[in-house]
Amino acid sequence: LGRQDAAAPGQPPAGANERDLVVPIPSQDSEIQVFAENRNGVSTAATVRVKWAGTAPAPAVQAGGFSIQPKLYVLAVGVAAYQHKDIAKLGLPAKDARDFAAAMTRQQGRLYRQVETKVLTDGQAGRDDIVDGLEWLQKQVTQHDVGMIFIAGHGVNDPTLGYTYLPVNADPDRLRRTGVPMDEFKRTLAALPGKAIFFFDTCHSGNVLGNKTRAGPNDVSGVINELASAENGVVVFSSSTGRQLSYEDPAWGNGAFTKALVEGLDGKADYQKNGRITHKMLDLYISERVKSLTGGKQSPVTQAPGGVPDFPVAASKQ
């Protein structure tokens, strides 16, 4: 699809050409979205719905019987004990990452036939470690799988890099070499051939750079919108909206967002009591729970690309 130069009536445009694209689709009703991109940006999606007229294929045989369940790959990162003296330490992000990974591991044998996790916390969550983790995720996920990224800790807005996650070895004066810009996460998630879900619990309450700056909360709205755009195809769960802070409290045992997230995944978001927890059900539970925990001071945001139907992300115990 492209824009052609004008030509005389009845004549093809100069240099016009046609291109055939072969698009593999599953043996079921499907929706195909096509985008046009140039140096100025990406178009809105042209959508084609196709109806499967054949018979459903037999399920693949797995060890021990029949299974069509996907595999789940999780990269969970949490940083609390920052090495740089000017970056305020946090209490719970490392535990948040471990607790999220454990919650998803409990999904093995429920919604997912297998769950593989890579957990990076504090001393194991340097910039290179995180980039290696992103590469691991991209190599593992196939079109039949689900990939998830969870990050907890501090994030800052940099005028050059944009919104940037701070690894354990981050240096505020050398962010290009020591920070992980959201572009790194976006490129990885957008490249996953299967479903991609991003959870980020950043901008915890407190002055990120201690007494060195008066920097307040960071605006993550642009990051959320870009990740959840149709061409990137990522379902995004963020701990807060706009320029709000994200809170943690030892009494909760987690950041408010992660506490609600884990509770929801473990079954409290199963509003229909049918054993399936969809991303919209999880969104509703997290929103209400975080509002209750923080007295309305923190409002999580969830966005999904246009045209993406509600789908299950977890299964409750039956």
Side-chain angles (χ1 to χ4, degrees):
L1 296 178
R3 180 177 177 179
Q4 301 288 348
D5 296 329
Q11 298 295 322
N17 60 76
E18 295 182 357
R19 183 175 300 172
D20 293 330
L21 296 176
V22 177
V23 181
I25 59 173
S27 303
Q28 61 188 47
D29 294 352
S30 302
E31 184 176 273
I32 302 170
Q33 293 186 327
V34 182
F35 302 88
E37 182 177 9
N38 61 22
R39 64 188 178 190
N40 297 314
V42 180
S43 72
T44 56
T47 302
V48 177
R49 292 179 176 85
V50 293
K51 187 173 182 61
W52 177 253
T55 57
V61 178
Q62 304 291 336
F66 293 91
S67 175
I68 55 174
Q69 292 175 297
K71 290 179 68 175
L72 172 65
Y73 295 91
V74 176
L75 174 64
V77 183
V79 179
Y82 289 92
Q83 296 171 358
H84 198 283
K85 62 182 178 62
D86 290 328
I87 302 179
K89 290 180 171 58
L90 293 165
L92 296 168
K95 183 176 183 295
D96 288 346
R98 291 191 296 268
D99 288 353
F100 173 77
M104 297 317 305
T105 299
R106 290 192 287 273
Q107 288 295 316
Q108 182 163 300
R110 297 188 200 172
L111 186 62
Y112 307 98
R113 72 176 187 272
Q114 185 176 342
V115 177
E116 292 189 22
T117 65
K118 182 179 286 291
V119 182
L120 304 174
T121 59
D122 288 339
Q124 288 74 48
R127 184 188 187 282
D128 290 346
D129 300 309
I130 296 172
V131 172
D132 287 346
L134 293 173
E135 185 175 8
W136 167 81
L137 187 70
Q138 188 169 336
K139 287 180 177 179
Q140 298 302 316
V141 177
T142 73
Q143 63 178 333
H144 305 292
D145 303 326
V146 178
M148 294 183 179
I149 296 178
F150 172 95
I151 60 173
H154 280 315
V156 297
N157 282 317
D158 181 81
T160 301
L161 302 175
Y163 191 73
T164 301
Y165 180 68
L166 300 185
V168 70
N169 60 337
D171 183 339
D173 297 320
R174 301 170 61 246
L175 274 184
R176 185 180 292 276
R177 293 181 64 86
T178 64
V180 184
M182 278 297 129
D183 275 350
E184 293 278 4
F185 296 99
K186 182 185 76 174
R187 282 195 295 269
T188 299
L189 289 162
L192 297 183
K195 288 186 174 68
I197 307 176
F198 187 31
F199 301 89
F200 66 110
D201 191 358
T202 63
C203 305
H204 283 71
S205 179
N207 194 343
V208 174
L209 300 180
N211 295 322
K212 187 175 181 181
T213 177
R214 294 183 180 179
N218 294 283
D219 191 349
V220 298
S221 300
V223 175
I224 297 169
N225 292 336
E226 187 173 2
L227 282 165
S229 63
E231 68 269 20
N232 289 324
V234 181
V235 177
V236 183
F237 288 79
S238 173
S239 61
S240 57
T241 182
R243 295 180 58 80
Q244 286 182 333
L245 295 169
S246 295
Y247 292 90
E248 61 173 22
D249 191 320
W252 305 331
N254 292 108
F257 173 80
T258 301
K259 180 175 179 61
L261 171 60
V262 170
E263 288 178 352
L265 291 168
D266 279 343
K268 291 190 175 181
D270 183 8
Y271 290 109
Q272 296 179 354
K273 305 303 180 186
N274 63 2
R276 292 283 178 104
I277 299 167
T278 69
H279 72 80
K280 289 184 179 179
M281 294 163 67
L282 186 59
D283 169 36
L284 176 60
Y285 180 80
I286 292 173
S287 296
E288 293 299 321
R289 181 63 166 140
V290 170
K291 178 181 177 181
S292 174
L293 286 169
T294 65
K297 293 184 291 185
Q298 181 179 333
S299 305
V301 175
T302 301
Q303 287 198 26
V308 172
D310 197 15
F311 62 87
V313 296
S316 59
K317 295 180 181 179
Q318 294 296 302

